[in-house]
Amino acid sequence: MLLEIACFNETSARIAFESGADRIEICEDMFCGGKTPSDKTIEKIISETGNIQRMVMIHKLGTSYCYTRRDFQWMLDRISDLHGKDLHGFVFGAVTEKNQIDEEKLEELIIAAEGKPCTFHRAFDGLENKPAALEKLIQLGFKRVLTSGGHGRAIDHVVTLAALQKQAEGRITILAGGGVRSTHANELIRLSGVNEIHSSAILKGEMADAEEIMALKKIAAK
């Protein structure tokens, strides 16, 4: 069982590393759904988090997941700019005006990632036909999909998550995220069958809580 922590600032990233998280997702602006941090922030986080796995979100603040060509080019450029840094992979998503997987743009993004693992983020939760979308993500070459199974908390969609986990059959990783906390993580894992969980571990304010991360890690290690 692997624990990923979403880190919206440098302090949270350092706390996640020191508290035993297996992987971090580097992003900013928690209240806006997350965006790509500056190079300076990313470099600071890299310097303070040892050899932990580091994924970085590729998203521009103020844009929807149905990207204009201009915003999409920005995404491609950011991936290119970040290739020289010590990052494990990228987190992104793209949908069409009809709220379906944008295969054309996603294929370009995966090519731009040059073999680094890619995670499709929670734009997945708003898609109507999730099983069909999952098959497309597998075909495109995504390593994992971050999902709560629907809008809201992952614990409230364990049936959907279990179905997605069964469908995945080891071809893609279902990363369960969305309000995941130590108070119910054990139940979430047991009922959904997922092998990876994702949490901000924020109990108040905007910083990850060290004790919460350690509690989640203890559950994941069982």
Side-chain angles (χ1 to χ4, degrees):
M1 181 61 61
L2 187 146
L3 172 63
E4 176 180 282
I5 300 296
C7 301
F8 293 92
N9 48 63
E10 297 168 17
T11 302
S12 291
R14 186 171 61 253
I15 290 171
F17 169 63
E18 293 173 349
S19 302
D22 299 296
R23 184 171 63 228
I24 59 174
E25 178 194 31
I26 303 171
C27 49
E28 283 184 344
D29 286 301
M30 175 178 66
F31 299 108
C32 297
K35 70 170 185 178
T36 308
S38 67
D39 283 356
K40 183 178 179 180
T41 296
I42 292 172
E43 288 169 0
K44 183 75 178 298
I45 289 174
I46 290 172
S47 70
E48 295 183 348
T49 53
N51 61 354
I52 196 172
Q53 290 185 39
R54 288 177 285 265
M55 303 289 288
V56 62
M57 177 178 279
I58 304 298
H59 182 66
K60 187 177 181 180
L61 190 64
T63 59
S64 70
Y65 300 126
C66 180
Y67 295 101
T68 64
R69 190 66 211 185
R70 180 178 180 180
D71 288 333
F72 178 64
Q73 186 59 52
W74 178 91
M75 295 173 74
L76 292 172
D77 292 342
R78 286 302 284 136
I79 289 176
S80 179
D81 292 342
L82 292 169
H83 265 302
K85 302 187 186 303
D86 189 9
L87 297 166
H88 183 251
F90 304 100
V91 181
F92 51 74
V95 300
T96 66
E97 292 181 357
K98 295 182 179 180
N99 199 32
Q100 297 177 340
I101 294 292
D102 193 327
E103 296 180 65
E104 183 178 337
K105 286 187 174 67
L106 292 173
E107 185 174 14
E108 285 191 59
L109 290 167
I110 287 176
I111 291 172
E114 297 182 358
K116 287 191 174 183
C118 298
T119 298
F120 191 94
H121 57 45
R122 289 189 62 193
F124 186 85
D125 294 339
L127 302 176
E128 290 186 11
N129 192 336
K130 292 177 178 60
L134 188 65
E135 290 300 324
K136 289 182 179 179
L137 295 181
I138 292 169
Q139 292 168 12
L140 286 165
F142 277 88
K143 173 70 174 179
R144 65 182 62 85
V145 54
L146 169 61
T147 178
S148 62
H151 292 301
R153 304 187 308 161
I155 190 63
D156 297 325
H157 300 284
V158 289
V159 173
T160 299
L161 287 170
L164 291 170
Q165 175 68 14
K166 183 177 180 180
Q167 179 187 349
E169 295 181 328
R171 298 176 296 160
I172 192 171
T173 298
I174 304 300
L175 174 58
V180 176
R181 297 293 180 268
S182 60
T183 52
H184 61 255
N186 191 56
E187 181 182 13
L188 170 64
I189 294 166
R190 178 176 61 83
L191 294 176
S192 67
V194 298
N195 298 312
E196 297 190 6
I197 55 174
H198 168 104
S199 174
S200 67
I202 295 174
L203 301 182
K204 60 181 180 179
E206 298 182 36
M207 301 297 174
D209 185 277
E211 291 187 4
E212 174 67 3
I213 294 172
M214 288 186 281
L216 285 166
K217 181 61 180 177
K218 185 176 180 180
I219 292 168
K222 289 181 179 179

